[in-house]
Amino acid sequence: MKKIGLIYNATRSSNLDFAKKIGEHLSEKGITTCIYKTGVPDSDLGLLKEDLDFALILGGDGTLLGTSRILAPKNIPMFGINTGHLGFLTEGRPGSSFELLDKVLAGEYRIEERAMLQANVSSLSRNMIALNDIVIYRAVDKRMLHLTLSVNGRPVADYHSDGLIISTPTGSTAYAMAAGGAVMDPEVRGIEIVPMCAHSLTNRPNIISDTKEITITFNRAHEGTVLQIDGQENYPVKKDDCIEVKKSPISAKLIRLLGEESDFYWTIRHKFHWGSLAVQDIT
């Protein structure tokens, strides 16, 4: 390891002090660091140009999600140390951060390649990528959206709903799960589609192969519809827009430690209390 990026969530002032302490720890080991802040309007993460061995993310899962959309295209692996709430994608317990970092420096880790989604809105001249999910919802109009979803050009379902959640396996434990979707193993090669409050008993979540392309069109005029990326970025959708969603050629590289606490099923059982007879408060 020669150069490591330290990216901290600047909404918590303590994270900067933490980043500086980690920088001193790494400097003692002969490793160069550069510090970037995110989560605030004057974020400088978008200016990152260094060739990094990996980036250390100090924050919660939301910080890692936002960082992934910048670092994944640069092919930079990410290691998240949880200073937030749940810490499903990030790792660590209070007081364990330096221990976890030293394990990474000692090579006691694996890299998980997490699939990302790519969305294109016909009225917007850019592609958007997401690690968790792409959500289409009515932000202003009180009426339900009337949508048609097609897969590889073939109509599959008409939805009268508040919107749609299109999720990666990584995002299946987030908004998609809260809306009644299935939990997917991160290694599953699939895309999950979850209607939001659909006005039909036959509109159910479904999972398709990630080799297929989704197209969404609108069957009724709508106002104030929004396409949301990872719950963080919002883009307006016009009434005549066509939305295309597919697996991105870009993947996010997550550094995961060797051991049960980095295992997907250990995490959902102990942090979500999955399958537990005595559900405890996860707060």
Side-chain angles (χ1 to χ4, degrees), residues 24-276:
E24 293 171 0
H25 179 72
L26 292 172
S27 179
E28 293 173 358
K29 297 178 180 293
I31 298 174
T32 301
T33 59
C34 48
I35 299 179
Y36 295 91
K37 61 184 175 182
T38 187
V40 290
D42 59 341
S43 168
D44 55 4
L45 182 55
L47 303 176
L48 188 152
K49 296 180 180 179
E50 282 86 0
D51 184 15
L52 304 176
D53 290 295
F54 73 91
L56 183 64
I57 316 299
L58 306 176
D61 289 345
T63 306
L64 191 144
L65 286 172
T67 302
S68 71
R69 297 193 297 275
I70 295 175
L71 298 192
K74 300 178 184 293
N75 204 34
I76 297 174
M78 297 171 287
F79 180 58
I81 289 184
N82 183 33
T83 65
H85 172 51
L86 183 61
F88 196 78
L89 295 174
T90 53
E91 302 199 42
R93 307 174 305 280
S96 66
S97 302
F98 289 96
E99 174 189 344
L100 299 180
L101 178 56
D102 287 343
K103 287 184 178 181
V104 174
L105 298 178
E108 299 175 21
Y109 67 90
R110 67 185 185 279
I111 292 183
E112 292 184 1
E113 297 226 6
R114 297 293 185 94
M116 303 184 78
L117 293 175
Q118 174 179 300
N120 177 270
V121 181
S122 56
S123 64
L124 300 175
S125 58
R126 58 169 295 182
N127 288 324
M128 295 150 281
I129 60 173
L131 176 55
N132 255 7
D133 49 40
I134 292 167
V135 178
I136 302 156
Y137 70 97
R138 56 189 182 109
V140 175
D141 201 332
K142 296 181 180 179
R143 298 176 299 171
M144 286 187 170
L145 296 176
H146 289 205
L147 312 168
T148 293
L149 182 139
S150 300
V151 175
N152 281 3
R154 300 173 68 91
V156 172
D158 296 316
Y159 297 107
H160 292 183
S161 67
D162 286 350
L164 281 178
I165 302 167
I166 303 172
S167 169
T168 65
T170 297
S172 70
T173 54
Y175 197 3
M177 183 181 73
V183 171
M184 299 170 67
D185 187 300
E187 295 182 10
V188 170
R189 296 178 58 88
I191 299 173
E192 184 166 20
I193 303 164
V194 183
M196 300 163 58
C197 301
H199 194 260
S200 172
L201 293 176
T202 62
N203 284 157
R204 292 289 179 262
N206 66 304
I207 297 170
I208 65 171
S209 166
D210 67 4
T211 63
K212 301 184 184 299
E213 183 173 314
I214 297 167
T215 304
I216 299 161
T217 53
F218 296 85
N219 303 320
R220 190 178 73 177
H222 56 93
E223 181 181 351
T225 303
V226 169
L227 182 142
Q228 188 176 77
I229 303 294
D230 283 338
Q232 297 175 337
E233 297 180 10
N234 295 317
Y235 299 91
V237 177
K238 298 180 180 178
K239 63 180 181 179
D240 297 324
D241 271 337
C242 173
I243 300 172
E244 296 177 346
V245 180
K246 60 183 179 181
K247 180 183 176 183
S248 172
I250 297 167
S251 61
K253 293 179 172 58
L254 302 187
I255 293 176
R256 308 294 284 176
L257 295 175
L258 304 179
E260 66 174 9
E261 291 191 27
S262 296
D263 176 73
F264 174 73
Y265 293 103
W266 186 96
T267 303
I268 61 173
R269 183 163 178 81
H270 288 80
K271 292 194 175 183
F272 283 174
H273 304 286
W274 190 260
S276 175

